[in-house]
Amino acid sequence: MTDAVGSIDTPDAQDEVSEPKKARKGGKRAKKGPLKRLAIFYRQIIAELRKVVWPTRNQLTSYTTVVIFFVAIMIAVVTVIDYGLNHAAKYVFG
């Protein structure tokens, strides 16, 4: 019986010919000074900020309203729980 191409039992022809790669020294960063790298970093930041989809004023207003409303509800829930536990502790411990 013959094995399928790429089987674990039979290596591919490319695997037999491959040569070990030489390790690079330094790389791209070693060739550039620190100010040049800093300038590239800030250019990349600006490029990424241009890709951001910024919300419109209406979206921002609605998102802010939802967040404030949710925070107010959570404050109320925590206050009620705290009040209830406070009275329960006073009842138990006198």
Side-chain angles (χ1 to χ4, degrees):
M1 278 185 124
T2 60
D3 288 333
V5 176
S7 171
I8 295 174
D9 296 335
T10 59
D12 292 337
Q14 294 173 352
D15 292 341
E16 295 171 1
V17 186
S18 66
E19 298 175 4
K21 294 182 180 181
K22 295 180 181 178
R24 282 184 8 186
K25 292 184 179 178
K28 291 183 180 180
R29 289 189 177 181
K31 296 178 184 176
K32 297 177 184 172
L35 292 178
K36 183 91 171 177
R37 289 187 300 186
L38 190 63
I40 291 172
F41 176 70
Y42 282 117
R43 271 189 251 135
Q44 289 174 347
I45 289 174
I46 291 169
E48 288 298 321
L49 285 175
R50 287 184 180 147
K51 294 178 187 177
V52 173
V53 179
W54 297 98
T56 63
R57 182 174 290 273
N58 290 336
Q59 289 174 334
L60 188 63
T61 304
S62 65
Y63 295 159
T64 304
T65 305
V66 167
V67 167
I68 291 174
F69 184 70
F70 178 75
V71 169
I73 289 174
M74 292 309 297
I75 289 172
V77 167
V78 170
T79 302
V80 168
I81 291 172
D82 184 47
Y83 183 75
L85 290 175
N86 186 19
H87 279 291
K90 283 183 182 178
Y91 178 75
V92 171
F93 297 112

